[in-house]
Amino acid sequence: MKQAKLFAIAFSLVNGMIAVVASALASHALGHHSLAHQAAFDMAARMHLIHSLLMLVIAGWWLAQPHASLGFSSLFLGLGIICFSVSIYSKVLIADSLFSRLTPLGGLFFMAGWLSPLLCLIDLWRQARSSASPS
């Protein structure tokens, strides 16, 4: 299980770097694409970076707090990056419309990645409440 947590941290770090490269590409190498494609690519790179950072935070929390919802959150965020950002990159760079159909699914994975940690927080809140109540 610890390997999965460390993998999630490594995945988020590598994806953060890839998001920076994608941002640079959006800024400097997509001049021959339409403005709509440039804007889509830039937005995908921003979402990629934001969710890579969130995944790093969640994976670090998961390393310290062994709760399944944190693992699911890391998984959902990773799937969201692949389905959302990578599908937009492929649409812009190689005109792939088949993979781009996964973009909405990626958005749902992002939402699930944001909400999953609430289950851990609810458990922690209950634990804190029960330990604070008088016996």
Side-chain angles (χ1 to χ4, degrees):
M1 184 58 96
K2 187 170 184 174
Q3 287 179 330
K5 296 172 185 179
L6 295 174
F7 178 81
I9 291 171
F11 185 85
S12 63
L13 292 169
V14 170
N15 269 280
M17 186 273 310
I18 292 169
V20 170
V21 170
S23 293
L25 219 117
S27 296
H28 304 292
L30 295 179
H32 61 285
H33 288 277
S34 70
L35 290 178
H37 277 145
Q38 289 177 29
F41 198 94
D42 183 57
M43 185 266 310
R46 277 186 277 124
M47 294 294 279
H48 191 160
L49 184 58
I50 290 165
H51 289 89
S52 294
L53 290 171
L54 177 61
M55 186 176 178
L56 180 61
V57 169
I58 297 294
W61 183 13
W62 186 29
L63 192 59
Q65 179 76 39
H67 198 279
S69 69
L70 301 174
F72 282 117
S73 177
S74 294
L75 176 65
F76 292 147
L77 292 167
L79 290 171
I81 288 168
I82 293 166
C83 291
F84 186 86
S85 295
V86 175
S87 68
I88 293 173
Y89 299 152
S90 71
K91 182 178 181 181
V92 171
L93 295 175
I94 61 173
D96 176 35
S97 62
L98 182 63
F99 191 58
S100 67
R101 294 180 186 174
L102 295 176
T103 306
L105 182 60
L108 292 174
F109 280 132
F110 281 155
M111 289 180 230
W114 280 95
L115 291 177
S116 296
L118 288 175
L119 297 173
C120 180
L121 285 175
I122 290 167
D123 283 349
L124 291 171
W125 179 75
R126 286 179 181 159
Q127 290 170 13
R129 191 171 169 212
S130 67
S131 67
S133 64
S135 301

